[in-house]
Amino acid sequence: DAKKTARGSFRLLDTVVNDEVRSRLIIGSALRRAIRNSELKLFYQPQICNGSRTLYGVEALSRWRHSTLGAISPARFIPIAEETGQIEALGRWSMEEACRQMVEWDQAGIVVPVVSVNVSAAQFAVPGLDRDIADLLSKYQLAPERLTIEITEGAMMHQTAQSKAILAAIREIGVGLSLDDFGTGFSSLSRLAQLPLTEIKIDRSFVMNFGQDVSSLIVTEAAITIGKRLGVRVVTEGVEDATQEAKLSEIGCDVMQGYLFGRPMPPADIGPWMKAFASKD
Ligand code: C2E
Ligand code: MG
Ligand code: MG
Ligand code: MG
């Protein structure tokens, strides 16, 4: 009967919730070990300039393959890292690893002009992020323009006086500031316009829906217009086919990123990828 069914589904929900809690606990403690033992890796995905089709830069994306749990997606472990107080350590590692890698490419004569690193809101909650970035740049002798920090629109919205000051200080250093997943965070345009951005990165859900609904294209065009008026670069992610690229190119998107050009790859693959890409068409 209905009562029984309800009780049954409560029990099922209970099990699901418990499994989720348990799985988060397991991932959380495995992550602690992974960070300590340097089991995380950064993969890099190419970003292409519209028109010249040259390499604008790469985005660094964290990868983790656990010995028994297998590959765990950052969409899964980043939120857990945030909840379990590990995002600072992870963020510190990823920023330094990206800088170190840039120097390695430089020394090998592989020209990767810019590396973008994702930074989560929680990293802004602790003072000194700007100081850490400045220290890294001087440790690796890198020009600040070669590093971009990506922050999601959602994270930008929850700004405190302190995080605002940190953003301003980061810009002051000369590092790029990109607004990631633009169009998903319901932020007010007037507040957006006040941020010290150098780049807007349109969420991949828009490009994905180009074929299906006209509103995605309208939003993308509007974002490009806003970006141009604000004098910031506009990047789109999730470009998967030539039709999307043609459309984006036509409406004046500055930089494109997506499986069409290249998937996130280990750093050693970037040089060969560049050669292959340059000899295409
Ligand atoms: P994001 O920063 O928006 O990164 C773009 C995501 O889209 C990446 O997923 C990338 O692999 C994926 N992608 C790129 N091109 C395509 C495409 O053409 N089609 C499709 N379907 N997907 C594409 P990934 O690597 O799984 O990362 C997911 C999210 O996890 C990132 O979204 C970012 O928010 C977060 N993340 C990854 N690494 C880090 C990190 O080191 N620190 C922080 N704080 N967050 C990270
Ligand atoms: Mg990103
Ligand atoms: Mg994004
Ligand atoms: Mg995203």
Side-chain angles (χ1 to χ4, degrees):
D1 65 316
K3 226 179 188 171
K4 238 186 208 153
T5 315
R7 205 173 300 138
S9 45
F10 270 129
R11 197 159 305 138
L12 181 63
L13 182 65
D14 217 50
T15 313
V16 171
V17 170
N18 276 327
D19 283 354
E20 175 59 19
V21 169
R22 198 169 315 118
S23 141
R24 281 178 170 256
L25 282 172
I26 291 169
I27 292 178
S29 62
L31 187 58
R32 205 169 295 281
R33 273 190 303 276
I35 294 172
R36 201 181 325 117
N37 303 337
S38 317
E39 286 170 25
L40 296 184
K41 302 237 165 338
L42 284 182
F43 272 31
Y44 299 86
Q45 186 177 30
Q47 301 177 314
I48 310 302
C49 296
N50 184 6
S52 67
R53 292 190 115 242
T54 52
L55 186 72
Y56 168 77
V58 294
E59 178 179 10
L61 294 154
S62 292
R63 292 291 179 264
W64 178 25
R65 179 173 288 284
H66 185 268
S67 53
T68 55
L69 300 170
I72 303 169
S73 144
R76 178 93 177 118
F77 69 76
I78 294 291
I80 295 176
E82 288 170 345
E83 286 158 26
T84 55
Q86 305 187 66
I87 195 64
E88 226 195 303
L90 196 157
R92 207 179 288 275
W93 164 79
S94 63
M95 197 102 66
E96 171 139 23
E97 177 55 20
C99 290
R100 193 203 58 73
Q101 184 59 55
M102 226 173 330
V103 172
E104 195 179 310
W105 278 322
D106 284 353
Q107 287 169 347
I110 295 163
V111 185
V112 177
V114 177
V115 176
S116 291
V117 178
N118 293 284
V119 169
S120 63
Q123 290 177 256
F124 282 88
V126 286
L129 182 65
D130 50 317
R131 191 64 259 156
D132 290 348
I133 292 174
D135 288 348
L136 272 180
L137 293 172
S138 82
K139 175 174 175 186
Y140 290 94
Q141 291 291 294
L142 289 167
E145 301 75 36
R146 299 194 61 197
L147 184 66
T148 289
I149 303 298
E150 291 191 10
I151 307 161
T152 62
E153 189 185 353
M156 286 272 197
M157 287 210 314
H158 299 108
Q159 278 204 63
T160 59
Q162 178 183 284
S163 57
K164 263 189 207 143
I166 294 178
L167 274 186
I170 290 175
R171 269 305 294 140
E172 196 63 35
I173 294 169
V175 168
L177 263 185
S178 177
L179 184 66
D180 202 357
D181 300 349
F182 178 76
T184 60
F186 302 101
S187 48
S188 92
L189 290 176
S190 64
R191 266 174 75 195
L192 270 190
Q194 287 162 12
L195 294 170
L197 302 173
T198 58
E199 180 178 294
I200 289 175
K201 206 164 173 187
I202 302 169
D203 192 66
R204 73 165 188 265
S205 57
F206 294 100
V207 181
M208 261 172 50
N209 293 324
F210 267 14
Q212 286 86 286
D213 71 275
V214 69
S215 68
S216 297
L217 181 58
I218 293 171
V219 173
T220 305
E221 285 183 296
I224 290 173
T225 305
I226 292 169
K228 294 244 146 88
R229 293 301 301 272
L230 292 175
V232 303
R233 186 170 40 254
V234 180
V235 181
T236 40
E237 56 183 17
V239 183
E240 292 187 355
D241 62 52
T243 315
Q244 293 166 341
E245 186 201 359
K247 194 78 221 170
L248 288 165
S249 163
E250 178 196 323
I251 63 179
C253 178
D254 302 310
V255 174
M256 300 178 222
Q257 176 182 345
Y259 295 170
L260 174 66
F261 309 106
R263 296 206 171 225
M265 60 187 93
D269 291 359
I270 287 289
W273 176 89
M274 284 170 74
K275 279 209 188 80
F277 188 74
S279 65
K280 252 194 212 164
D281 56 45

